[in-house]
Amino acid sequence: MKKLLIAGVIGIASILAGCSTTSGLGAQTGVSGFDAKKHVRIAPHGAACTSMVCPAIGAVWIEDAPNLVGLNFEVVNDIRAINAAELNIDGEIIKLSNTDLTRFNTDIGVSSAKTYTTDFKVVDRIINSKRSWVRLSTSKGYVEAAIIDGGKDSKAFNALKRFKDQVEATRNN
């Protein structure tokens, strides 16, 4: 009985560890074979979602445009066109724009994605904010969730922190 209880506790602990907002993929630095310029990417990570259809955020930075960042927004678990993206950072709403078409992915699960270019300072503002939310306007309505809201952070929040650290390391090399 004791062994069964210990196994159950270990199982629950491993499940909870998988739900940690600090876990996730690292940012990757690459070098272009074309012009030897560096770039940093991090895959989209989920915001603090309350439903299966959820916004996720990734990012890309390229050496040629050091003050800009591409924020890659995904709608996870559904196929829908992304029409607009907005960020609410400590009460200031930032409307991002992009006229490209939404990319659809059905290779692993189902998702829709679109990249919006903005000032790199937006990443800093999110990381240093007390409250940041993302809202995506889609062909099926809004999808929104917290990136950070008070004491509640998300995988997306911590991924953006890892991304920023990798960009800074890449800039300094």
Side-chain angles (χ1 to χ4, degrees), residues 31 66 110 125:
V31 178
V110 177
R125 292 185 58 205

Side-chain angles (χ1 to χ4, degrees), residues 53-147:
V53 177
C54 174
I57 305 169
V60 61
W61 171 87
I62 57 173
E63 188 175 23
D64 277 352
N67 297 322
L68 298 176
V69 64
L71 293 178
N72 184 19
F73 295 101
E74 278 191 5
V75 175
V76 181
N77 297 321
D78 199 14
I79 296 290
R80 52 176 74 194
I82 300 171
N83 302 320
E86 296 176 285
L87 297 167
N88 182 332
I89 304 173
D90 288 330
E92 181 186 344
I93 295 175
I94 300 169
K95 295 181 181 199
L96 304 172
S97 60
N98 176 336
T99 57
D100 293 342
L101 298 174
T102 303
R103 299 178 308 278
F104 302 111
N105 181 4
T106 57
D107 294 337
I108 301 174
V110 177
S111 67
S112 309
K114 198 169 190 180
T115 302
Y116 293 79
T117 303
T118 189
D119 193 294
F120 196 87
K121 291 176 186 176
V122 170
V123 173
D124 283 329
R125 292 185 58 205
I126 292 169
I127 291 169
N128 293 309
S129 70
K130 292 185 181 356
R131 183 179 187 276
S132 287
W133 278 66
V134 58
R135 177 168 60 190
L136 303 176
S137 172
T138 76
S139 56
K140 296 180 183 177
Y142 288 114
V143 177
E144 62 181 41
I147 301 168

Side-chain angles (χ1 to χ4, degrees), residues 25-32 37-45 57-63 69-72 103 115 120 159-160 162-164 166-167 170:
L25 301 172
Q28 302 295 315
T29 299
V31 178
S32 169
K37 299 291 183 180
K38 296 176 188 173
H39 59 269
V40 177
R41 295 179 186 275
I42 194 157
H45 289 69
I57 305 169
V60 61
W61 171 87
I62 57 173
E63 188 175 23
V69 64
L71 293 178
N72 184 19
R103 299 178 308 278
T115 302
F120 196 87
L160 288 173
R162 292 190 299 275
F163 171 77
K164 181 186 174 203
Q166 187 69 26
V167 168
T170 301

